[in-house]
Amino acid sequence: MTAPRRNERSRRAILTAALELLTETGYPDLTVEAIAARAGVGKQTIYRWWRGKGAVILEAMVDSVPPNAVLPDTGDLRADLRTVIRATVAEFADPRLSATTRAITIETLSDEALAEQVRDQLLRPQLAAVKDRLRAGQATGQARDGIDLDLTVELLFGPIYHRWLLRNGPLTEGYADELVDLAMTAITP
Amino acid sequence: MTAPRRNERSRRAILTAALELLTETGYPDLTVEAIAARAGVGKQTIYRWWRGKGAVILEAMVDSVPPNAVLPDTGDLRADLRTVIRATVAEFADPRLSATTRAITIETLSDEALAEQVRDQLLRPQLAAVKDRLRAGQATGQARDGIDLDLTVELLFGPIYHRWLLRNGPLTEGYADELVDLAMTAITP
Amino acid sequence: MTAPRRNERSRRAILTAALELLTETGYPDLTVEAIAARAGVGKQTIYRWWRGKGAVILEAMVDSVPPNAVLPDTGDLRADLRTVIRATVAEFADPRLSATTRAITIETLSDEALAEQVRDQLLRPQLAAVKDRLRAGQATGQARDGIDLDLTVELLFGPIYHRWLLRNGPLTEGYADELVDLAMTAITP
Amino acid sequence: MTAPRRNERSRRAILTAALELLTETGYPDLTVEAIAARAGVGKQTIYRWWRGKGAVILEAMVDSVPPNAVLPDTGDLRADLRTVIRATVAEFADPRLSATTRAITIETLSDEALAEQVRDQLLRPQLAAVKDRLRAGQATGQARDGIDLDLTVELLFGPIYHRWLLRNGPLTEGYADELVDLAMTAITP
DNA sequence: CACTAAGCGAGACGGTACGTCAGGTCTTCCG
DNA sequence: CGGAAGACCTGACGTACCGTCTCGCTTAGTG
């Protein structure tokens, strides 16, 4: 049982090149060939370790996300949700950051296996953190006991995805606040 | 100024072939070449009238959607929302129907022009109908006056998109009802 | 039954490019990719009409050989054979001309179908011409009646191939004359 | 000045694997990678000791040829030549044996250095043996004194190569005999 | 008889070319 | 003259091998 003798330098070069090219050319025009060329790497080295450009981008995202997965708890549920929703809205509004999200989204729409990885490695931890905060809010009486936490987080994040996906309106801080307020109305005892 | 002498028979054959192939092979493996072959049509005929496979699929969808754009109004807002949300959830849950939605979504994520068309021709009319029903609800006192209708429809449809997009849970009738109930809590006076 | 709508300009460009590259780089380093690039042609266009680089070179050779297939008949058999054998030796001695022969030889050694084409389109006509001249020689009493003409032409050309193939000695005019004399000894009545 | 600590077991395995694969797949599809895999050997071990697959095959041939290099001398020149020419024809007619010859021939056509090795280690000794026998024939008056021995051996072997190389007729025992007879006609006093 | 350098298997690596596929354009010919 | 048919150039695909380069492990020959 020997560890795979993988070249870390190449791995880093590939992930970096992929993210650079992604912002330069967009996902559909991103090619494995170009990533390999930019990274100074043989194509085979990419195909040896990843199933395609989608998997490369996913790993680049996972690599760049710190495993913090914990929400602030100031005692004020509404304020804390505002913090996280504002951050999320800002992320989707930023062309640079949302480029990678767009790329991954495209790929997951037709790659079931990749979709699972995204869900388990990126999405679930994030949502779990929010659910934890909501549970704490229930303990302090700031949220109703009966609510379905899964549904609640969807109530918070779903509208953002909807607006982003369908380009159906601006993604501003004011929008984030309004969204939190409306959601709070639904879950406050 | 002559009207374009367009062959309706070819047009129908192309749209039909496109939808068939879409469910058979999935969007990324759908090719203009295959559509042309299946439809018994030259490739040029497709490129003459559409910008690419995305535009073909969009026209096929628009073609198949009746321009009803009106929600039932039984007087019971919750019940009427339940009807439309249940229908939407069912549509996303149906592999056959959601295949075309998935295809269009993929394409819009990287084609700004197409995204606009989708938004204006498919999405907005649907949401407008819901907003109309909500406005009627405000008139009868079943919904608060102060609510942002754009945000409210996102509260209703966003979670569905979120769950569908990220494959983060089942899309059932029960889910639809629960969603409507939670949203109603947020907007009831 | 429509004639294949083949682009003659491309065909010529490919054959020319192939011959150029052959003399520049040698057959093993000759690639379809390079031929396509030099000819300003898509690779597919080559693969559409030929089975590989070997077939291209063959067509180039066939194209450049005039269909003369007739030997001079001065009445002096020995002199006429000298003419053709000298020419053959000179051809094999010329690095430029023998490069294409070398290429075809390599390919035929492992491609049965190509070998047949070479035999039928290039070799047999040439040998047939010599056999015709030998037959005429028999009529004038300069060659024995009993000889096997197939074997006789091999006696004339075989040594040249042998020496060329195995690089086992110089290919000079003197060699050609000596060879003809020895062969004449074998077939003179 | 230490002797190279070369692993004889690996060497044997490589040569054996190479010959096996050669008959299975043909020379152009023979790869160093496959030889290494079949032999249970690292690629490096092959490249350490040989310049490529051509050199491996050559060594395998040299290894399998006994260094006998002497012709029988029964006193009857024609009969002795018949023996050796029949054997040569049989060798070229045998698909198994001629496969290695074909392989080496391909390689020598583009590798000058290898061609020299083949000529010096395989061809010349064989031809020298025939020349020796011819010289003995001159002594006993069965061959003319004036003939060029180099040319004479080419007269014997050249036609076989020609017929084999160009697949221009069958290689039978009868052919061998006919060839010897015609050549004898040329060199008998 | 232990040490130590080599040869060794394995296989990752940067490359090049393969032969295929589809893109989008252009040309020919038919109805 | 629109449309079918399909050749064309282009460029990326994913694969196969090339020849080089570490890795540890095994194995002599020496000191």
Side-chain angles (χ1 to χ4, degrees), chain C residues 178-186, chain D residues 144 147 151-152 155 186-187:
Chain C
E178 216 186 332
L179 170 57
V180 170
D181 287 344
L182 195 55
M184 283 299 293
T185 308
Chain D
R144 278 192 287 130
I147 57 173
L151 182 55
T152 305
L155 211 66
I187 64 172

Side-chain angles (χ1 to χ4, degrees), chain C residues 7-146:
Chain C
N7 187 332
E8 178 63 15
R9 173 187 300 280
S10 295
R11 181 180 159 277
R12 295 295 329 165
I14 289 164
L15 297 184
T16 303
L19 288 182
E20 285 175 13
L21 286 166
L22 180 59
T23 57
E24 289 171 22
T25 67
Y27 189 69
D29 292 342
L30 178 67
T31 67
V32 173
E33 205 129 13
I35 296 172
R38 170 78 63 105
V41 141
K43 281 199 289 178
Q44 194 60 242
T45 301
I46 295 182
Y47 285 112
R48 195 174 355 249
W49 303 110
W50 292 277
R51 289 195 309 111
K53 61 179 182 176
V56 173
I57 293 294
L58 172 59
E59 183 161 331
M61 284 186 73
V62 172
D63 236 45
S64 73
V65 169
N68 57 342
V70 162
L71 244 61
D73 186 344
T74 64
D76 179 350
L77 178 60
R78 182 186 306 261
D80 290 348
L81 288 180
R82 231 173 227 176
T83 304
V84 66
I85 293 300
R86 277 182 179 182
T88 304
V89 164
E91 190 187 315
F92 277 93
D94 176 21
R96 197 121 157 46
L97 289 177
S98 77
T100 60
T101 305
R102 180 155 40 238
I104 282 292
T105 304
I106 291 176
E107 201 62 32
T108 57
L109 276 167
S110 35
D111 185 334
E112 181 65 47
L114 197 84
E116 273 177 39
Q117 280 187 274
V118 171
R119 196 210 305 132
D120 296 342
Q121 295 177 31
L122 288 178
L123 183 69
R124 286 256 165 86
Q126 179 195 17
L127 299 188
V130 177
K131 289 202 288 186
D132 284 347
R133 183 63 192 83
L134 286 169
R135 248 186 298 266
Q138 288 176 320
T140 62
Q142 293 179 287
R144 280 191 287 132
D145 275 345

Side-chain angles (χ1 to χ4, degrees), chain B residues 122-188:
Chain B
L122 289 177
L123 182 70
R124 287 255 165 86
Q126 180 194 20
L127 299 188
V130 177
K131 289 202 286 186
D132 284 347
R133 183 63 190 83
L134 284 170
R135 246 185 300 266
Q138 287 176 321
T140 62
Q142 293 180 288
R144 279 191 287 130
D145 274 345
I147 58 172
D148 178 335
L149 291 185
D150 285 317
L151 183 55
T152 304
V153 297
E154 285 172 349
L155 211 66
L156 285 163
F157 290 94
I160 301 173
Y161 273 85
H162 189 267
R163 183 164 283 213
W164 169 73
L165 199 65
L166 302 164
R167 293 171 167 76
N168 193 32
L171 286 163
T172 63
E173 195 163 280
Y175 174 70
D177 293 351
E178 215 186 328
L179 171 56
V180 170
D181 287 345
L182 195 56
M184 283 300 293
T185 307
I187 63 172
T188 303

Side-chain angles (χ1 to χ4, degrees), chain A residues 53 81 88 92 127 183:
Chain A
K53 63 178 181 175
L81 288 180
T88 302
F92 278 92
L127 299 187

Side-chain angles (χ1 to χ4, degrees), chain A residues 31-33 43-44 47:
Chain A
T31 66
V32 172
E33 205 130 10
K43 281 200 288 178
Q44 194 60 240
Y47 285 111

